[in-house]
Structures are given as structure tokens and as C-alpha cells.
Amino acid sequence: MQTEFPNETGQTGIAKCRTGIRGLDEITGGGLPRGRPTLIGGAAGCGKTLLAMEFVVRGAREFDEPGVFMAFEESEEELIANVESLGFALDALVEQNRILLDGVRIERGEIEETGEYDLEGLFVRLGSAIAEIGAKRVALDGVDALFAALPSEAIVRAELRRLFRWLKDQGVTAVITGEQGEKTLTRHGLEEYVSDCVIFLDHRMTNQVATRRLRIVKYRGSRHGTNEYPTLIDQEGFSVLPISSVSLSHRVSREYVSTGIPRLDTMLGGGGYFKGSSVLLSGTSGAGKSSIATAFADGVCRRGERCLFWSSEESPDQILRNMASIGFDLQPYIDRGLLVCHAVRPTLYGLENHLVSLHRLVESIRPAAVILDPITNFAAVGDTAEVKTMLTRIIDFLKGAGITGLFTSLTQGSEPFHSERTDEGVSSLIDTWLMLQMVQSAGERNRLLYVLKSRGMAHSNQVRELVLDNEGIHLSDVYTGTGEVLTGAARIAQETRDQANNVAARKAHVREQRALQLKRRDLMARIQSLEAQLVAIDEDAAFATAEEAQRVVNAAHDEAAMFHARGAD
């Protein structure tokens, strides 16, 4: 009895057969329809055979479901050799009777078109293989070859219907691959109408760069993703990145992570960036974007956390050499596995492949921070809309995982505070945006930094000079005393002149203070002299008053004595 597999919403629908292929189970809501045929169409080189093979291999290895892989264009030996680089070890699975490979060679001369033509021989051969190993999964690769010599569409239509019905009757989950037609999904244009699930693979060229994409054309009885999804074929096999729906439900953190530059932490409210936020460093060439990114990586690794440094311009050795010149020794972090440098040219493959590669690296190393330096180079493999879509997916992916993402972007223009925008169009998605600028004055070029925005924190609105030397990165106050911004040697010269003027002013002040002290002492001496004179005057006045009083008394006494002597009445 078939079991039902929960779909994306948690409800049950038709029974699902998990593929084990990265991303494919997610966009199909649990896997391919169990016990029913699935058609995989596409042009040559898009990965049809690999997808079918991985479906069978992963079923045998991971879900205890033996499988039969019947190829109409390749032999058993060729199939084993072709997938050996992916680590599938088909020969071992064959020896263990977990997989049965059958290469069916169709010769045109062996096929005779008659009214009684049918696929009974194929049914017998395939049924025997299924019974031999108890197969639960079947892959028919290159089914077009069965009908290559049949011009009658009626016979093709009838036999295809019989094939799909026979597979259903066997109770196996089947995957059938077919070549793309001129204006149809498959060469005959019929298979998609008799399949319960149809998957279309595309391998296209954009700006001379190859990209692979997958689309689920239909899926009877099941909800599924309907957009195009980027796919990747690498040493781990086939993978699909399900990025059609980008929600804004990720949780945020109020925890800070240091920028690696103490004064920049202060400019950002004292703690640095918010953990799990997105940070953009924009600036002209040579403004110090990679240096600030390296300071952040150094701080992450010093805390014992992992950091992924994705470089699009420099090799890991070049990064190590260049950053050592400003005091950052990154080699010990690489040796301990804390810092992973991934250097790749954007033009190596398409945007989707870069996106899938980033997902795989993040899932593999589990970093606390991811640095992309720079994102501007992705414009070489896609237009503005495509680059913005890719970066939006990266930002949402990192935020959803609680990973702090730091991106550098090259801007054009050399005027101060010019070009407060990004060519990639992602500035509105960024939480913290730092602007770096090269300015020219007094015959030299110097670096400026300021915080254009930082959501959720009271950040500084001041412009700082960014100084790089062999001891690290420093932020200095710019000189604005004369109404203009001075940096570098001009700032130092002006500060020296200001210091000399300050010294001279202090000396003049001291001299003036001394002169005033002398005047004060002279005046105090004069005051003391006048006060002494005033005391003497008061004493003389008191003495004169006393004498006058005594004289009056004496005169009265003398007058009385005279009257008495005269015997006056």
C-alpha cells in the first residue's frame, strides 16, 4: 500500500517518492509522484541523464529502494564511467543488486513498421529486470530512440500510452527522459500529455556564460513550485536551488558583532553591526572596501567563529599578502578552518550556479559571517535585473540563516559624497550602508568614510578619514576649521599650524597675564598707600576735633574764672 507524503503546507495529497536530490524534493512538495511516471525533457547537455541516474542511485543508497536504469543510447560501462566522478560508485551498487543497469541498443534495421508493432519485447525485458532486484524505481533514459524509425504518429502515440500505463501497473516510480523538440517539450510532443509529472531542464547561454535551470511544467494532484529554478551539476551531483518564494519572516537579533575597527563600532552606536544583518561597503577603487571587509573577517575569526570570504577579484594568496601589509595575519585562521577563502571569477559560470555554490558552501562550513567582495563583478554575467534578483536571494538566504552578510560594491565618480547609490539596485535591502570615498587635495589622495544609513541604531553623522598603515586601520577626525574638509598631509599641516598658533596664543596670553599682575600689584600698592594716608588723615582729624573740644572747655573755664575774679554779678 502506498503511503502519503506531506506536502509543503503539511496536508497530505498523492503519495510522494523522495528523490534525495538537493532542492528538488522541496519544490515538488515531497518528491515525485510515487507509482507514476515522470517525464524529464530538455535539450542535449542539460542534465537529463544525470537527474534520472541520481534519482535511482539515491533511492538505492538512502531510501532502500532498488532501481533499474535502462539506457537506449549508452552501455552499462559508459554509464558507470560517466558518473564515477560524482562519487556514485555504480559498479558497487550493481554488485550488491541494489541497481540493475541495462543498455538497450536500438538498430534502425531491426524495427519494422507494421500495424501490429508494439513494445512487448521491452516490457518483458524491463519486467524481468524489475523482478530480479525487486525494483521500486525505474529510469528510462533516451526513450526517443525507441521511436526514431517510426514515421507514424499514431503508432508512437499508442505505444507511448501503453508504456506509461504499463509502468503504472508495475507500481514503480518511473523517470523517463526525452529530447526537446523544435516547438515542444519533447521530440514527439506527446509524452507530456500522458505523464503525471513533467520536468523541463534548460541549458542556455547568456553573455557567453552557460546556465542551467529547471521548471516543473505540470504535476497532477500536487502543489508545486512553478518558477524557473537554478540548477548546478558538480562533484556532488545534481542540485536545485528553490528560491521562487522569498518571504520576510526571518527573525532578527539585537546582538551586536564588532566591525573589527573600534572607532567604527563607536560610530555605529557602540557595538558594531547587528548580528544577522546585511552590510554594504560602497566606494571607488582603492577606497579601502576590501580592507574594512578583512577587518570584519579578522574580528569574526578572533572570536572563534567561522567566516566565508568570497572573492571575485583576488586569489587567497593575494588576499593574505595584501592584508598582511596593513597588519592582518589571516593564515592562522585559515589553518584552523575559521576562515574559508573562495575565489572564483564570476564569468566562470552563470549567476544561478554562483547562487547554488554559495548555498552549498554555507551549508558545509556553517559560517557566522559571509563576505562577498565585490558584488559589482556579477554584472559581467547578467543584466541589472538578474543581478539584483540573485543578490536579493542571497541577502534573504543569509538573513534567514542568521548570518551576517557583508558586501562590497564599486562605485564610479571621485567627488566627495558622489554616487550614493548602487548599480546593483540592492541598497534598499541593506541594513547598514558605509560609504567610502577618495578625495584629492594638496596634491594627494586620501580616504573618507561615513555612515550613510544603519537601521535600528543611532549612528554617527560625522565624516572620518580612513587611514591604512602597517599597524592596521584607523579612523581620524577630518579638519573642518576653515570651512573645508582637509585630510592627509593637508590636515596634518593645518593641524601643525593650528598647534603653533595655539602655542603663540598661549604665550601671548601668559605675557598679558603677567602684565596685568604687575599692574595689579602696583595698583594694590597705591591703594595701600592711600589707605595709610587716609588713616593718618582720620587720626589727624580726630586729634584736631579733640583739641578743639578741649579748647572750648578751657575757654569756658577761663571765662568763668575771670568773671569770678572781677566779682561780677
Side-chain angles (χ1 to χ4, degrees):
M1 180 176 179
Q2 298 178 357
T3 58
E4 295 184 338
F5 193 92
N7 61 21
E8 292 171 309
T9 60
Q11 300 174 346
T12 56
I14 66 172
K16 299 292 184 74
C17 176
R18 296 179 62 187
T19 66
I21 297 173
R22 184 191 303 266
L24 184 56
D25 288 337
E26 183 175 348
I27 63 176
T28 55
L32 303 181
R34 183 175 292 279
R36 303 185 185 187
T38 295
L39 175 67
I40 301 176
C46 63
K48 300 185 299 297
T49 300
L50 178 60
L51 179 58
M53 178 63 75
E54 190 162 352
F55 169 71
V56 173
V57 170
R58 292 193 180 276
R61 291 195 316 191
E62 301 174 13
F63 305 110
D64 192 27
E65 294 185 359
V68 173
F69 191 97
M70 179 172 287
F72 298 99
E73 296 177 340
E74 296 178 280
S75 66
E76 295 91 331
E77 294 76 14
E78 290 172 333
L79 290 171
I80 292 174
N82 290 345
V83 300
E84 185 176 0
S85 62
L86 303 176
F88 285 169
L90 268 181
D91 49 353
L93 292 172
V94 170
E95 292 178 2
Q96 298 167 7
N97 283 330
R98 307 296 297 163
I99 288 181
L100 190 150
L101 299 179
D102 190 3
V104 180
R105 188 173 183 83
I106 305 296
E107 296 292 345
R108 184 183 182 93
E110 296 178 359
I111 300 179
E112 296 181 1
E113 181 181 0
T114 66
E116 301 299 327
Y117 176 82
D118 57 37
L119 297 178
E120 287 299 332
L122 174 65
F123 295 160
V124 172
R125 186 167 179 170
L126 186 55
S128 175
I130 293 173
E132 181 176 343
I133 63 171
K136 301 294 184 182
R137 303 187 180 200
V138 170
L140 302 180
D141 184 38
V143 72
D144 313 79
L146 283 172
F147 312 104
L150 299 179
S152 172
E153 185 174 300
I155 294 179
V156 173
R157 182 190 298 268
E159 293 305 305
L160 279 172
R161 290 186 181 278
R162 286 189 63 205
L163 173 61
F164 279 65
R165 173 52 57 189
W166 185 86
L167 290 171
K168 286 185 177 181
D169 292 341
Q170 299 302 308
V172 295
T173 304
V175 169
I176 302 170
T177 71
E179 291 291 335
Q180 181 182 5
E182 292 185 3
K183 296 183 179 180
T184 56
L185 295 179
T186 56
R187 184 179 301 175
H188 299 287
L190 302 171
E191 297 92 324
E192 57 264 33
Y193 299 107
V194 293
S195 301
D196 290 274
C197 178
V198 178
I199 298 176
F200 181 70
L201 302 180
D202 184 26
H203 190 197
R204 68 188 68 168
M205 296 293 296
T206 305
N207 295 332
Q208 299 181 350
V209 176
T211 59
R212 301 177 188 273
R213 297 179 183 177
L214 177 148
R215 178 167 63 95
I216 302 177
V217 179
K218 78 171 184 179
Y219 197 144
R220 288 174 180 163
S222 174
R223 296 180 57 185
H224 59 277
T226 57
N227 291 351
E228 284 191 331
Y229 301 89
T231 62
L232 178 66
I233 298 176
D234 59 10
Q235 66 277 9
E236 297 182 15
F238 196 97
S239 60
V240 184
L241 186 60
I243 39 69
S244 60
S245 59
V246 178
S247 65
L248 293 175
S249 59
H250 52 265
R251 300 179 63 85
V252 298
S253 172
R254 289 173 173 79
E255 181 181 349
Y256 289 99
V257 291
S258 175
T259 65
I261 306 171
R263 197 168 190 193
L264 182 55
D265 288 346
T266 302
M267 293 180 66
L268 294 171
Y273 312 127
F274 277 125
K275 182 177 180 180
S277 64
S278 55
V279 182
L280 179 65
L281 304 179
S282 295
T284 54
S285 180
K289 302 181 297 297
S290 298
S291 299
I292 294 180
T294 300
F296 175 60
D298 179 79
V300 171
C301 295
R302 274 192 282 110
R303 294 191 298 271
E305 298 176 318
R306 290 189 177 91
C307 178
L308 171 61
F309 197 116
W310 180 299
S311 174
S312 300
E313 292 183 335
E314 300 176 288
S315 67
D317 286 344
Q318 189 175 1
I319 294 173
L320 293 178
R321 182 201 65 187
N322 295 346
M323 294 302 106
S325 67
I326 56 174
F328 294 109
D329 184 9
L330 304 178
Q331 187 63 55
Y333 302 139
I334 293 179
D335 295 339
R336 293 166 55 191
L338 295 177
L339 179 62
V340 177
C341 291
H342 179 79
V344 59
R345 291 287 185 191
T347 51
L348 180 62
Y349 37 67
L351 294 174
E352 292 82 0
N353 285 12
H354 286 293
L355 190 57
V356 175
S357 296
L358 179 65
H359 272 243
R360 284 192 168 180
L361 284 171
V362 169
E363 292 173 0
S364 174
I365 67 178
R366 304 284 181 180
V370 171
I371 297 172
L372 267 66
D373 179 40
I375 60 176
T376 318
N377 288 0
F378 288 116
V381 290
D383 58 31
T384 301
E386 292 173 334
V387 173
K388 180 179 180 180
T389 300
M390 173 202 175
L391 294 176
T392 300
R393 293 165 177 171
I394 290 178
I395 291 171
D396 283 310
F397 167 63
L398 296 179
K399 283 188 174 183
I403 298 172
T404 308
L406 188 146
F407 313 92
T408 70
S409 173
L410 177 66
T411 59
Q412 304 299 324
S414 57
E415 294 299 322
F417 321 128
H418 178 73
S419 193
E420 292 184 352
R421 62 182 179 82
T422 62
D423 293 335
E424 302 78 25
V426 296
S427 57
S428 61
L429 307 174
I430 296 299
D431 298 309
T432 298
W433 189 1
L434 305 181
M435 286 294 296
L436 299 165
Q437 195 74 44
M438 295 290 291
V439 295
Q440 182 173 347
S441 63
E444 64 180 19
R445 292 173 62 83
N446 297 289
R447 302 174 176 89
L448 295 179
L449 178 148
Y450 70 100
V451 182
L452 183 60
K453 75 171 182 179
S454 192
R455 292 170 176 161
M457 63 177 64
H459 59 83
S460 171
N461 65 347
Q462 299 295 303
V463 178
R464 298 282 184 263
E465 181 179 359
L466 179 67
V467 181
L468 307 179
D469 57 31
N470 54 9
E471 295 182 356
I473 300 177
H474 314 281
L475 293 176
S476 303
D477 293 330
V478 299
Y479 183 86
T480 57
T482 59
E484 60 178 337
V485 176
L486 299 180
T487 60
R491 173 179 57 80
I492 295 173
Q494 185 62 47
E495 289 175 347
T496 302
R497 288 192 293 270
D498 289 346
Q499 291 174 359
N501 292 336
N502 290 335
V503 170
R506 284 196 298 271
K507 290 181 178 179
H509 176 70
V510 170
R511 288 195 297 268
E512 184 179 2
Q513 289 295 318
R514 288 176 179 175
L516 292 173
Q517 288 292 336
L518 290 174
K519 289 181 179 181
R520 186 177 187 280
R521 285 197 294 269
D522 181 62
L523 182 59
M524 291 299 296
R526 292 173 60 187
I527 291 174
Q528 291 175 359
S529 175
L530 292 173
E531 288 178 345
Q533 294 180 28
L534 181 61
V535 170
I537 291 173
D538 290 342
E539 290 177 349
D540 290 344
F543 183 74
T545 301
E547 283 186 337
E548 178 62 19
Q550 187 63 42
R551 184 190 66 76
V552 172
V553 171
N554 289 340
H557 183 270
D558 290 345
E559 183 178 3
M562 187 177 291
F563 284 160
H564 179 70
R566 290 177 179 177
D569 294 336

